[in-house]
Amino acid sequence: MSVFRNIERKIGGMVEGVFGRTFRSSVQPVELARKLAKEMDDHRTISIHRVYVPSVYTIYLNPADREQFTAYEAQMCSELEEYLVEHARREGYTTASRPVVTLETEDDMHVGMFGIAVEEAGDEDEREASRPAPEPRFGPDAGIAPPVPVAAPIPPIAPDVPDAPPGSTMVYASDPEPEPEPAAPPRAESVVLMWDGREIDVEGQTTVIGRSSECDVVLGDPNVSRRHAEIRRMGRGYSLVDLGSTNGTEVNGQRITETSLMNGDVIGVGTTQITFERRVG
């Protein structure tokens, strides 16, 4: 199976799993996720030791299209952010902060089309090598319109178009979608930690893991430090930070200092395995 098919299947599992219904808008969450990942790839900056990608993504929608997402907008943005986190982790990218996705209304955007603006983030002094030339992000095989400033009228798609100017907003045409179905009401989300048959809700801005009785998650594991690691809420997402522990902290078997957490991640502290789970409904 090709890399593209693997990515497409993963998007379907993460995004369509939560939004597994037909929206009245011709713009679909899975389509937004695929184009966001493409924009992340196209805005790579390669240094000597790392590949940096932007952290801030703004999606511009026609008012009629955005209205269809009103009841799901916050949850949808959270799922899109989680997909970008996993995409960056899978590709080995580095971000200055957790990816942020926001929606904006643009009256000049046609129904069924959407624009994506990318904001470069991070310390330029840490980026040690030159930027590679971006690949064209539009054309007949992509089924998208040429890039234009968001405030300007969108011209029709032409067979021959110039390269995208730096910093422009990419505009995409949506594929035809099936007839709409009634949308279900939004569902509440909870976050839990599970280990050794136990379960605890993650509440508040921070959750400390360690042997000390003052920690939120108290472990009797002698290989765990008194204050071993901390889960921090970052907007709509969560990150895990090692607190200078003696034996270190792992996520899915990899040693970390700080990393974003996604649904199903397994946190390793000492000999204890803790599963991080986000539940909807």
Side-chain angles (χ1 to χ4, degrees), residues 116-160:
I116 299 178
V118 178
E119 179 180 334
E120 299 287 348
D123 186 355
E124 291 296 334
D125 293 336
E126 295 179 1
R127 303 184 181 187
E128 302 145 325
S130 60
R131 299 173 184 266
E135 299 177 359
R137 298 193 293 275
F138 50 85
D141 58 338
I144 56 179
V148 295
V150 157
I154 300 173
I157 299 176
D160 297 314

Coordinates of all heavy atoms in Angstrom, one line a residue, residues 116-160:
I116 N -6.2 27.9 3.1 CA -5.4 27.6 4.2 C -4.2 28.5 4.3 O -3.4 28.6 3.3 CB -4.9 26.1 4.2 CG1 -6.0 25.1 4.3 CG2 -3.9 25.9 5.4 CD1 -5.6 23.7 4.2
A117 N -4.1 29.3 5.3 CA -2.9 30.2 5.5 C -2.0 29.6 6.6 O -2.5 29.1 7.7 CB -3.4 31.6 6.0
V118 N -0.7 29.6 6.4 CA 0.2 29.0 7.3 C 1.1 30.1 7.9 O 1.7 30.9 7.1 CB 1.1 27.9 6.6 CG1 2.1 27.3 7.5 CG2 0.2 26.8 6.0
E119 N 1.3 30.1 9.2 CA 2.2 31.1 9.8 C 3.4 30.4 10.3 O 3.4 29.4 11.0 CB 1.4 31.7 11.0 CG 2.3 32.7 11.8 CD 1.5 33.3 13.0 OE1 0.3 33.3 12.9 OE2 2.2 33.7 13.9
E120 N 4.5 30.9 9.8 CA 5.8 30.3 10.2 C 6.0 30.6 11.7 O 5.8 31.7 12.2 CB 7.0 30.9 9.4 CG 6.9 30.6 7.9 CD 7.2 29.2 7.6 OE1 7.7 28.5 8.5 OE2 6.9 28.8 6.5
A121 N 6.5 29.6 12.5 CA 6.8 29.8 13.9 C 8.1 29.2 14.3 O 8.7 28.4 13.6 CB 5.7 29.1 14.7
G122 N 8.7 29.7 15.4 CA 10.0 29.2 15.9 C 11.1 30.2 15.8 O 11.0 31.3 15.2
D123 N 12.2 29.9 16.4 CA 13.4 30.8 16.5 C 14.2 30.6 15.2 O 14.8 29.6 15.0 CB 14.2 30.5 17.7 CG 15.3 31.5 17.9 OD1 15.5 32.3 17.0 OD2 16.0 31.4 18.9
E124 N 14.3 31.6 14.4 CA 15.0 31.5 13.1 C 16.5 31.3 13.4 O 17.2 30.7 12.6 CB 14.9 32.8 12.3 CG 13.5 33.0 11.8 CD 13.1 31.9 10.8 OE1 14.0 31.3 10.1 OE2 11.9 31.6 10.6
D125 N 17.1 31.7 14.6 CA 18.5 31.5 14.9 C 18.8 30.0 15.0 O 19.9 29.6 14.9 CB 18.9 32.2 16.2 CG 18.8 33.7 16.0 OD1 18.9 34.2 14.8 OD2 18.6 34.4 17.0
E126 N 17.8 29.2 15.3 CA 18.0 27.8 15.5 C 17.9 27.0 14.2 O 18.2 25.8 14.1 CB 17.0 27.2 16.5 CG 17.2 27.7 17.9 CD 16.2 27.2 18.9 OE1 15.4 26.3 18.4 OE2 16.2 27.5 20.0
R127 N 17.5 27.7 13.1 CA 17.3 27.0 11.8 C 18.6 27.2 11.0 O 18.9 28.3 10.5 CB 16.1 27.6 11.1 CG 14.9 27.4 11.9 CD 13.6 27.8 11.2 NE 12.5 27.7 12.1 CZ 11.2 27.9 11.7 NH1 11.0 28.2 10.4 NH2 10.2 27.7 12.5
E128 N 19.4 26.2 10.9 CA 20.8 26.4 10.5 C 21.1 26.2 9.0 O 22.2 26.4 8.5 CB 21.7 25.4 11.3 CG 21.5 25.6 12.8 CD 21.6 24.3 13.5 OE1 21.1 23.3 13.0 OE2 22.1 24.3 14.6
A129 N 20.1 25.8 8.2 CA 20.3 25.5 6.8 C 19.3 26.3 6.0 O 18.3 26.8 6.5 CB 20.3 24.0 6.5
S130 N 19.6 26.4 4.7 CA 18.7 27.1 3.8 C 17.4 26.3 3.6 O 17.3 25.1 3.7 CB 19.4 27.3 2.5 OG 19.7 26.0 1.9
R131 N 16.3 27.1 3.3 CA 15.0 26.5 3.0 C 15.0 25.9 1.6 O 15.5 26.5 0.7 CB 13.9 27.6 3.1 CG 13.9 28.2 4.5 CD 12.9 29.4 4.4 NE 12.9 30.1 5.7 CZ 12.0 29.8 6.7 NH1 11.2 28.9 6.5 NH2 12.1 30.5 7.8
P132 N 14.4 24.7 1.5 CA 14.3 24.1 0.1 C 13.2 24.8 -0.6 O 12.3 25.4 -0.1 CB 13.9 22.7 0.4 CG 13.2 22.7 1.7 CD 13.9 23.8 2.5
A133 N 13.3 24.8 -2.0 CA 12.3 25.4 -2.8 C 11.0 24.7 -2.7 O 11.0 23.4 -2.8 CB 12.7 25.4 -4.3
P134 N 9.8 25.3 -2.4 CA 8.6 24.6 -2.2 C 8.1 24.1 -3.6 O 8.3 24.6 -4.6 CB 7.6 25.8 -1.8 CG 8.2 27.0 -2.3 CD 9.7 26.8 -2.3
E135 N 7.4 22.9 -3.5 CA 6.8 22.3 -4.7 C 5.5 23.0 -5.0 O 4.9 23.6 -4.1 CB 6.5 20.8 -4.4 CG 7.8 20.0 -4.1 CD 7.4 18.6 -3.7 OE1 6.2 18.3 -3.7 OE2 8.4 17.8 -3.5
P136 N 5.1 23.0 -6.3 CA 3.8 23.6 -6.6 C 2.7 23.0 -5.8 O 2.7 21.8 -5.7 CB 3.7 23.4 -8.1 CG 5.1 23.2 -8.6 CD 5.8 22.5 -7.4
R137 N 1.7 23.8 -5.4 CA 0.7 23.2 -4.5 C -0.7 23.3 -5.2 O -1.7 23.4 -4.6 CB 0.7 24.0 -3.2 CG 1.9 23.9 -2.4 CD 1.8 24.4 -1.0 NE 1.6 25.8 -0.9 CZ 2.5 26.7 -0.9 NH1 3.8 26.3 -1.0 NH2 2.3 28.0 -0.8
F138 N -0.6 23.4 -6.6 CA -1.9 23.5 -7.3 C -1.7 22.9 -8.7 O -0.6 22.8 -9.1 CB -2.5 24.9 -7.3 CG -1.4 25.9 -7.8 CD1 -1.2 26.1 -9.2 CD2 -0.7 26.6 -6.9 CE1 -0.3 27.0 -9.6 CE2 0.3 27.5 -7.4 CZ 0.4 27.7 -8.7
G139 N -2.7 22.6 -9.4 CA -2.6 22.1 -10.7 C -3.8 21.2 -11.0 O -4.6 20.9 -10.2
P140 N -3.9 20.7 -12.3 CA -5.0 19.9 -12.7 C -5.2 18.7 -11.9 O -6.3 18.2 -11.6 CB -4.7 19.7 -14.2 CG -3.7 20.8 -14.6 CD -2.9 21.1 -13.4
D141 N -4.0 18.0 -11.6 CA -4.1 16.7 -10.9 C -4.5 16.9 -9.4 O -5.0 16.0 -8.8 CB -2.8 16.0 -10.9 CG -1.7 16.8 -10.3 OD1 -1.8 18.0 -10.3 OD2 -0.7 16.1 -10.0
A142 N -4.4 18.1 -8.9 CA -4.7 18.4 -7.5 C -6.2 18.8 -7.4 O -6.7 18.8 -6.3 CB -3.8 19.4 -6.9
G143 N -6.8 19.3 -8.4 CA -8.2 19.7 -8.4 C -8.4 21.0 -7.5 O -9.4 21.1 -6.8
I144 N -7.4 21.9 -7.6 CA -7.5 23.1 -6.7 C -7.3 24.4 -7.5 O -6.7 24.3 -8.6 CB -6.4 23.0 -5.6 CG1 -5.0 22.9 -6.2 CG2 -6.7 21.9 -4.6 CD1 -3.9 22.8 -5.2
A145 N -7.7 25.5 -7.0 CA -7.6 26.8 -7.6 C -6.2 27.4 -7.3 O -5.6 27.1 -6.3 CB -8.7 27.7 -7.2
P146 N -5.7 28.3 -8.2 CA -4.5 29.0 -7.9 C -4.5 29.8 -6.6 O -5.6 30.3 -6.3 CB -4.2 29.9 -9.1 CG -5.6 30.1 -9.7 CD -6.4 28.8 -9.4
P147 N -3.4 30.0 -5.9 CA -3.4 30.8 -4.7 C -3.6 32.3 -4.9 O -3.1 32.8 -5.9 CB -2.0 30.5 -4.1 CG -1.2 30.2 -5.3 CD -2.1 29.5 -6.2
V148 N -4.4 32.9 -4.1 CA -4.7 34.3 -4.2 C -4.8 34.8 -2.7 O -5.0 34.1 -1.8 CB -6.0 34.6 -4.9 CG1 -6.0 34.2 -6.3 CG2 -7.2 33.9 -4.2
P149 N -4.6 36.2 -2.5 CA -4.9 36.7 -1.2 C -6.3 36.5 -0.8 O -7.2 36.5 -1.7 CB -4.6 38.2 -1.4 CG -3.7 38.3 -2.6 CD -4.1 37.1 -3.5
V150 N -6.5 36.2 0.5 CA -7.9 35.8 0.9 C -8.9 36.9 0.6 O -10.1 36.6 0.3 CB -7.8 35.5 2.5 CG1 -9.2 35.7 3.1 CG2 -7.3 34.1 2.7
A151 N -8.5 38.2 0.7 CA -9.5 39.2 0.5 C -9.9 39.5 -0.9 O -10.8 40.2 -1.2 CB -9.0 40.5 1.1
A152 N -9.1 38.9 -1.9 CA -9.3 39.2 -3.3 C -10.3 38.2 -3.9 O -10.4 37.0 -3.4 CB -8.0 39.1 -4.0
P153 N -11.1 38.5 -4.9 CA -12.0 37.6 -5.6 C -11.2 36.4 -6.2 O -10.1 36.6 -6.6 CB -12.6 38.4 -6.7 CG -12.4 39.8 -6.3 CD -11.2 39.9 -5.5
I154 N -11.8 35.2 -6.2 CA -11.1 34.0 -6.6 C -11.3 33.9 -8.1 O -12.4 33.7 -8.6 CB -11.6 32.8 -5.9 CG1 -11.4 33.0 -4.4 CG2 -11.0 31.5 -6.4 CD1 -12.0 31.9 -3.6
P155 N -10.2 33.8 -8.9 CA -10.3 33.7 -10.4 C -10.6 32.2 -10.7 O -10.4 31.3 -9.9 CB -8.9 34.1 -10.9 CG -8.0 33.8 -9.7 CD -8.8 34.0 -8.5
P156 N -11.1 31.9 -11.9 CA -11.4 30.5 -12.3 C -10.1 29.8 -12.4 O -9.0 30.4 -12.7 CB -12.1 30.7 -13.6 CG -11.7 32.0 -14.1 CD -11.5 32.9 -12.9
I157 N -10.2 28.5 -12.3 CA -9.0 27.6 -12.4 C -8.5 27.7 -13.9 O -9.3 27.5 -14.8 CB -9.3 26.2 -12.0 CG1 -9.7 26.2 -10.6 CG2 -8.1 25.3 -12.2 CD1 -10.1 24.8 -10.1
A158 N -7.2 27.9 -14.1 CA -6.7 28.0 -15.4 C -5.7 26.8 -15.6 O -5.1 26.4 -14.6 CB -5.9 29.3 -15.7
P159 N -5.5 26.3 -16.8 CA -4.6 25.2 -17.0 C -3.2 25.6 -16.8 O -2.4 24.7 -16.3 CB -4.8 24.8 -18.5 CG -5.4 26.0 -19.1 CD -6.2 26.7 -18.1
D160 N -2.8 26.8 -17.0 CA -1.4 27.3 -16.8 C -1.4 28.4 -15.8 O -2.0 29.5 -16.1 CB -0.7 27.7 -18.1 CG -0.6 26.6 -19.1 OD1 -0.2 25.5 -18.7 OD2 -0.9 26.8 -20.3

